[in-house]
Amino acid sequence: MDRRYRKRMQAYWARAEARGRRQIDRLDMNSWFDFWHVHVDWYGRGNTGPENVPEIAAATVRLLQYLETFAKDRSEPIQLWATLCSNTMDNAVHAHSRNPNGTAYPHGFHAVDWDPTVPDWVAAAVPVGTHQIGSVGDAGEVVYFVRRRG
């Protein structure tokens, strides 16, 4: 990868992660969440090359950990997870709780296969021991879920 391109993309990832942190910082953790989420690669720049996929996956998991820390003092239960995809625009961090909209809580992740064999870019992004990986999909497009073990 061209050194200048890599430097430019690293700066983009830093800005994207900072933008996600600012969105989290504005959340009222005493409120309710109905599948709230923030996309890390909102503009899809990670899709310009396969070398970007591990970078955005790592940034997404760091953002999940930031949200976990931000929500740790919440008095009501909440589910937090991240989604990782090879289409980097779909990478996101999610929050879900009891809510007045009637959306089921807790979310059951019924179609998710937990603890599957995962590609290296997913395994490298997820902390071993503290978080669990799941997957949904087929060879065409697989979505990986990351949540804290508990």
Side-chain angles (χ1 to χ4, degrees):
M1 175 185 333
D2 176 78
R3 186 173 45 88
R4 289 173 292 173
Y5 173 78
R6 180 161 176 74
K7 188 174 180 177
R8 190 169 55 249
M9 289 307 292
Q10 286 174 332
Y12 172 73
W13 299 133
R15 287 190 311 274
E17 190 173 341
R19 187 172 42 253
R21 285 176 184 242
R22 283 192 304 274
Q23 289 184 20
I24 290 169
D25 289 341
R26 288 192 295 262
L27 294 175
D28 175 2
M29 288 318 279
N30 295 315
S31 186
W32 52 267
F33 298 89
D34 187 359
F35 292 105
W36 176 91
H37 63 281
V38 58
H39 291 273
V40 182
D41 187 21
W42 188 257
Y43 302 108
R45 292 189 59 192
N47 290 327
T48 58
E51 66 277 1
N52 295 317
V53 173
E55 299 282 345
I56 194 62
T60 303
V61 172
R62 285 192 303 271
L63 200 58
L64 171 63
Q65 292 174 305
Y66 185 79
L67 179 57
E68 289 169 345
T69 299
F70 192 77
K72 73 177 172 26
D73 294 328
R74 180 182 162 89
S75 60
E76 295 293 318
I78 190 169
Q79 291 177 294
L80 306 173
W81 71 91
T83 52
L84 306 176
C85 309
S86 57
N87 175 354
T88 63
M89 286 180 71
D90 292 335
N91 287 12
V93 174
H94 304 260
H96 187 59
S97 69
R98 288 185 180 90
N99 62 79
N101 296 336
T103 308
Y105 177 84
H107 178 53
F109 298 99
H110 299 295
V112 177
D113 174 28
W114 292 103
D115 300 316
T117 301
V118 298
D120 291 343
W121 63 268
V122 173
V126 179
V128 177
T130 59
H131 288 75
Q132 183 178 28
I133 303 171
S135 67
V136 169
D138 54 33
E141 179 66 42
V142 177
V143 177
Y144 297 96
F145 290 77
V146 180
R147 66 181 180 186
R148 184 170 284 283
R149 288 191 183 276

